Each structure stands twice: as C-alpha cells, then as structure tokens.
Amino acid sequence: METTGARRSLTWLLPTWGVTRLLLLLFVFKVYVFPGPDVTSDVSVIYQSWFDVLRTGTFPLDDVTWQYPPAAALAILSPGLLPFLDYASAFFVLAFLADLVVLSLLLYAGRRPGRRLRGAWVWVAGVPLLGPTVYARYDVMVTAVAVAALLAGARHPRLMGALAGFGAMLKVWPALLLLGVRGRRAWASAAATVVVLAALFALAMPGAFAFLTFQRDRGTEVESLGALVFHVARHYGWDGQVLLNYGSVEFLGPWVNVVSTAALTLTGMTFGWLLLWRLVATRFEAHTAADAAFVAVLMFTVTSRVISPQYMVWLVGVAAVCLCFRASRMGVPAGLVLAACFVTVLEFPLWFGDVVTSTPLGITLMVVRNGLLVLAAVVAARGLWRSTVPKPAPAEVPDQAARAKETSASA
C-alpha cells in the first residue's frame, strides 16, 4: 500500500516529468529554437545517412565516424518502425518513449519495500538539465537498457546479464554494470548474449567490427579533462588546431598524443583500482551492484579522451538506480552529477563557441563541469570502498597482548 509521502511525491513528480519532456519535444521539433548550435543535425544528417547504408545490409565501412558496436545498428534502424513519420521525427518519438520506459522502471522499483522515489526524481530532473541533446542521441535508448539491467539485479541475474550484454553490444559501457555482481549466472548470460549477437551480426552484415580500427588517430576532444591543458596552452603560444575529427571537435597538434596517452593511462589505473576493489570487497548488499556500476561508469567517463554531453545521460540513469535504494551512499555524487549536467548544457550547446575558441568563459565552464565530475568520482569511489571493504583489525600492543595471555592463564 502506498504511503502518504509516496503519493505526495508522485503528485509532483509526474506533472514535472510531463512539462519538462514537452519542452524537450518542442525544442527538438523546433517549435521553439534552443539557443546555440542545432543539436538535432546529428539525427537528420549523420544518423539518417547511416540508416540509408544499414538498411542495405551492410555497415558504414568507409565512414570513420561509425565507432559503435554492431547492435547500435538496431538503434539507428529503429525509426523505420514508424514509417508514417520522417526519420528525424520518428527518432525523437522513440527517444521520448525510451525516456518514459526509464521513468516507469524507476517508479516501479521505487515503490517496493526498502526503496524510494528519489531515484525517479534524479531522472526527472537530470534529463531536462541536459537540454534537447538527450532526445537527439541514441544514448537515452542505451541508458534504458542499462537501467532495466540494474533493476533486474539479484532477483533475475540471468536477465540482468542478458540486458547488460545487449547494452554492451549497443555502446560498450553497459558491460561495467556487471562489476559489482556476485555469482556466475549474470556473467555467463552476458557472455552468451554478446557471443550470439556478435556471431549473428558478423554473419549477416559485412563490416560488423570495422569500428575497432576507426579510432587509431583520435585527438583529445575539447570537452574532456585532458583538453584543459590545451585550452590554457592556447593562451601561451601553443600552435595546435581545433578540428572536427572522428565525429567530434578535437585538439590536434603538438603534445596531443602525450595527453591522450596520459588519459589512457588514467583509464588503465581506474581499471586497476576497480579490480582491486572487487578482490577485497566482502560486504555486498542489494544496492552494491548499482553503486559499483555508477562508480565505474563515472570513473571511466572522467578519464576518457572524450566527454560528450550525451555521456551525462548514462551517469544520470545509473545514479537514478542507485538512489532507488535507501541504503545507497551515492546521494552526494549523484547531486554533483546533476550540477555537472546543468553546467554541461551551458557549455553545449549554449556557449560551445566559447569552448571551441578557449575563451575565459569557455575555460571556466570546462573547469567547473569537469571539476564536478572529478569530485563526484572521488566521493563515489570513497563511499563504495568504505561501505564494502572491511577495515583491517588494529594490531595488538605487545603489553596488551601479554596481559591478555596472563589473564587467560590465570583463568
């Protein structure tokens, strides 16, 4: 039976979701024009060009901007399910429906015993903070799969594994959802799903794994943590360039390869820390898998050479699942991510020109946004470690040990 507090929360939550999503739809359908560059052009130009190639039965073999696992083709082809709409309009409708699916899952989970609706509020608030970009990228669809996988959790490990495996074949990062899962069933199910999907795509469509060779000459994307080096260096004579490269705006020139290598090194160190945590952690509760997934996605996002605005959708979705659990320690990091979402919409699309040209405003926005993400990662990792790794027992002082033996002997 619903509590009074839950009913009161729903009274505000559902209208808030409806109003904010209506605004997003008005923006992507250009009833109202959102300030800054047109964020919908990726759908009407890039995605639609991929759609035209994919429906012929092959992957975009000569397009280096296609950098996704083979199941991403399903997301790009999905607007074909609505033939009565043009491609872009159908895509926006499907993105809206994916958003609705996430909300429904979080509402269902949040009303179960030991749960709360705060996770649904994170989703309701976080998505509009990112602006219309959310409905103009297929990441919201991937996030819906990831949220479903995490909420399946311990009750349905095989389903969780299958969804995580499917998500990984859509955009790789959902593989991180398995980090905090104990038991073999979820891992086995995920592996089987990946193998079956990989085999089907490899047999059915040429070029399923051509994307693996399409990122060899990437630079450092202007919104990434490492890019701050070049934003500042441009004011001191650095003579590199900012170019559209591999589908994103990147720094290219002297020392970029060093910064990119440093980012990859940090990613490797992140993996090492997560592996260490998995080896020493002993206290696993219902919320641990979601908390670990949030920490992993957050840390890998922060250390990546690319931090595109749509990546924030992943963090909002996983954070929302964490906060469905009353015992989760991810409240503060989730709040920091929401703050970072607001700064993200300021840097893209509102003042993206300032970011690209490294003006003081652009640099400030990137320092604040990336600083919030770094702080969130540190706080989240600390919380995960403290909640799951037992403290070492204090060593006995020799005098205390001797007295303890004497007491034992006299007894």
Side-chain angles (χ1 to χ4, degrees), residues 22 42 87 89 150 178 299 327 334 359:
L22 175 60
D42 277 18
Y87 182 86
S89 298
L150 282 174
L178 297 170
M299 293 178 75
T359 68

Side-chain angles (χ1 to χ4, degrees), residues 298-328:
L298 185 53
M299 293 178 75
F300 274 96
T301 299
V302 167
T303 59
S304 173
R305 291 178 294 172
V306 179
I307 307 181
S308 296
Q310 60 266 28
Y311 291 13
M312 301 298 295
V313 184
W314 318 342
L315 298 175
V316 172
V318 182
V321 176
C322 292
L323 267 62
C324 283
F325 297 92
R326 293 185 181 276
S328 174

Side-chain angles (χ1 to χ4, degrees), residues 365-380:
L365 289 172
M366 295 320 308
V367 168
V368 174
R369 198 283 297 271
N370 291 340
L372 287 168
L373 290 180
V374 170
L375 181 59
V378 171
V379 174

Side-chain angles (χ1 to χ4, degrees), residues 43 96 115 119 174 214 223 242 276 357 379 389 400:
V43 176
F96 167 79
R115 309 284 182 88
F214 284 171
E223 296 166 274
V242 176
L276 175 64
T357 55
V379 174
V389 177
Q400 292 178 340

